[in-house]
Amino acid sequence: MNIIVPTADSRMLAIKEKVRNGERLTLEDGVFLYQSDDLLSIGQMANEVNLKKNGKKVYFIENMSLYFTNVCEAHCAFCNFRKDEGQEGAYTLSGQQMVEYVSQHYHPGVREFHIVGGHNPHVPFQYYIDSLKALKEAFPEVTLKAYTAAEIDFYSRISGLSYREVLQELMKAGLESLTGGGAEILSDHYRKKMRVEKADVSQYLQVHRTAHELGLKTHTTMLYGAIETHEDRIRHMMQIRELQDETGGFLVFIPLSMQPINPRAGIRRRNSAFEDLKTIAISRLMLDNFNHIKAYFINIGTQLTQVSLTMGASDVHGTIVKERISHSAGALTPEGITREDLVWLVKGAGRIPVERDTFYNEIKVFE
């Protein structure tokens, strides 16, 4: 009697067959892909999935990243953005001060403000409401994509309001979408080890669930490259996938390559290009119910972003103007990029650049 022992090659072929038939990949499939060194096969599968969903279109947005405060009660091990109240470099801007800052950098093509910041316990919840109001009154045509699920949980704690009530108050002030931050790795063990002193796994998911119930479309992330295992990453994707099955409220998944605290850190302290591309491709394969996987050039660089467009990514984020969080943690990439450079970058990969709004409505197709 012959016993057929599965080999890496036969396992990869079985996964390819699943992908081509539109079958959902399992935890074991995802971990196998991470452990494989066959990046080209993984990337080719992800590319096929993406082409079926989006054709050759690659999306970007004209946006600005805004940070009202860097004062934060949490002390997450990976964060170099946060400050204590009174510490050198700590700041908390009023709505009017932010409007003045935006006015110096704004041009009529900007379609989105991406707003995140510290969990500042020295100001009331009303401060965070008024911050959005000031921006919406000054720039009514710009979409407010504001705050992470962890920030919403923090506002709930300081205000005594439920997640639903917090979101409803912010929506009255102009909130139109939530950012994806605060997810890190959706593992309570990881969060304890990395001192993630903010929303836990169930709270992160519940905030997004509540936002989706209220009609908000949101974004979600995964910060990889610390102490987590490959299985942790796949379980993270599967939890997000399950919530998307339930609500359909996520617009895009954004894998974030962790940056070392010291900008002078060597390459051994950073994720490899191989790992970054593999994570984008595996995200595309695991998250079959997401339309878009984003390549975040701030963390992986513009050239790797370009390569990722043939490995499952369909979004290159936006112009940003001046990113601070990743750069405070040692990112070596540009703090922003021009619209023209984004178009050039996408065309250089043989793809079609598409300027979008926050909700992936097409503004302009650059044939």
Side-chain angles (χ1 to χ4, degrees):
M1 176 177 169
N2 292 326
I3 299 174
I4 298 173
V5 179
T7 65
D9 286 344
S10 65
R11 184 72 189 275
M12 187 67 81
L13 285 172
I15 291 175
K16 284 182 180 178
E17 196 65 23
K18 268 187 165 183
V19 170
R20 291 207 173 113
N21 292 332
E23 291 178 45
R24 176 159 281 184
L25 299 190
T26 64
L27 172 69
E28 293 74 21
D29 292 333
V31 171
F32 169 81
L33 292 175
Y34 258 121
Q35 292 171 347
S36 168
D37 62 359
D38 189 358
L39 178 61
L40 293 180
S41 288
I42 298 166
Q44 185 178 39
M45 285 188 285
N47 186 48
E48 286 177 16
V49 171
N50 180 45
L51 288 174
K52 282 180 185 174
K53 286 183 178 286
N54 298 298
K56 289 198 168 187
K57 289 181 175 180
V58 172
Y59 296 83
F60 72 92
I61 189 169
E62 288 239 42
N63 63 349
M64 290 180 66
S65 288
L66 306 179
Y67 311 86
F68 273 93
T69 180
N70 64 352
V71 176
C72 190
E73 66 171 14
H75 297 77
C76 303
F78 47 79
C79 182
N80 205 37
F81 174 74
R82 68 158 310 280
K83 302 286 184 186
D84 290 318
E85 179 83 344
Q87 184 180 349
E88 184 180 351
Y91 70 88
T92 300
L93 302 180
S94 69
Q96 194 50 47
Q97 286 174 312
M98 183 58 81
V99 167
E100 290 168 9
Y101 168 82
V102 172
S103 297
Q104 294 168 14
H105 302 277
Y106 177 82
H107 65 85
V110 172
R111 300 186 181 278
E112 174 188 282
F113 294 143
H114 177 106
I115 304 164
V116 293
H119 301 187
N120 186 342
H122 305 285
V123 291
F125 174 48
Q126 190 63 42
Y127 164 82
Y128 299 97
I129 295 173
D130 292 342
S131 297
L132 296 189
K133 275 184 181 172
L135 281 173
K136 201 62 184 174
E137 286 171 6
F139 305 97
E141 70 286 357
V142 180
T143 299
L144 298 188
K145 183 179 80 177
Y147 307 141
T148 66
E151 286 173 273
I152 300 302
D153 175 72
F154 168 69
Y155 304 154
S156 174
R157 285 192 284 110
I158 64 172
S159 67
L161 300 174
S162 67
Y163 292 162
R164 179 175 291 271
E165 291 166 332
V166 165
L167 288 165
Q168 286 172 329
E169 289 302 310
L170 293 171
M171 288 167 73
K172 287 178 198 170
L175 177 72
E176 293 161 271
S177 179
L178 291 184
T179 70
E184 323 318 353
I185 293 291
L186 294 175
S187 153
D188 287 324
H189 171 73
Y190 169 96
R191 295 169 100 76
K192 184 176 180 182
K193 292 275 285 185
M194 292 296 288
R195 302 198 316 272
V196 183
E197 299 173 350
K198 53 189 177 185
D200 64 21
V201 174
S202 63
Q203 289 166 334
Y204 179 89
L205 295 171
Q206 186 56 37
V207 168
H208 280 280
R209 179 181 288 109
T210 305
H212 298 166
E213 288 169 356
L214 289 170
L216 291 176
K217 296 292 187 181
T218 70
H219 306 68
T220 189
T221 61
M222 178 181 74
L223 182 66
Y224 65 92
I227 62 166
E228 81 281 355
T229 65
H230 290 150
E231 182 173 330
D232 288 334
R233 294 184 197 174
I234 299 299
R235 287 190 184 280
H236 176 111
M237 294 178 201
M238 291 176 71
Q239 290 180 86
I240 293 297
R241 187 172 73 182
E242 286 168 17
L243 183 54
Q244 182 75 331
D245 277 344
E246 180 187 330
T247 67
F250 288 119
L251 291 164
V252 60
F253 180 75
I254 311 152
L256 298 173
S257 184
M258 183 171 280
Q259 305 299 305
I261 293 294
N262 186 344
R264 293 183 295 278
I267 60 171
R268 286 175 292 166
R269 298 291 304 279
R270 300 173 184 275
N271 286 317
S272 69
F274 202 83
E275 192 76 0
D276 288 332
L277 289 174
K278 195 188 283 189
T279 297
I280 287 169
I282 292 171
S283 299
R284 178 62 287 166
L285 293 169
M286 292 299 299
L287 296 172
D288 50 48
N289 53 4
F290 274 66
N291 287 332
H292 300 287
I293 305 297
K294 182 178 290 186
Y296 190 53
F297 74 83
I298 286 292
N299 286 26
I300 66 172
T302 50
Q303 289 176 306
L304 208 57
T305 292
Q306 190 177 52
V307 175
S308 74
L309 301 182
T310 63
M311 295 195 170
S314 58
D315 188 287
V316 291
H317 196 55
T319 50
I320 297 178
V321 179
K322 189 173 177 64
E323 196 280 339
R324 293 187 190 173
I325 292 179
S326 290
H327 284 88
S328 68
L332 303 177
T333 54
E335 292 180 331
I337 192 169
T338 67
R339 186 170 182 262
E340 292 72 25
D341 282 348
L342 277 175
V343 169
W344 176 89
L345 183 147
V346 173
K347 283 188 172 180
R351 302 292 158 125
I352 302 167
V354 180
E355 185 179 354
R356 63 170 175 87
D357 67 9
T358 299
F359 309 103
Y360 287 85
N361 297 307
E362 296 182 2
I363 306 300
K364 182 177 180 181
V365 179
F366 295 81
E367 294 286 1

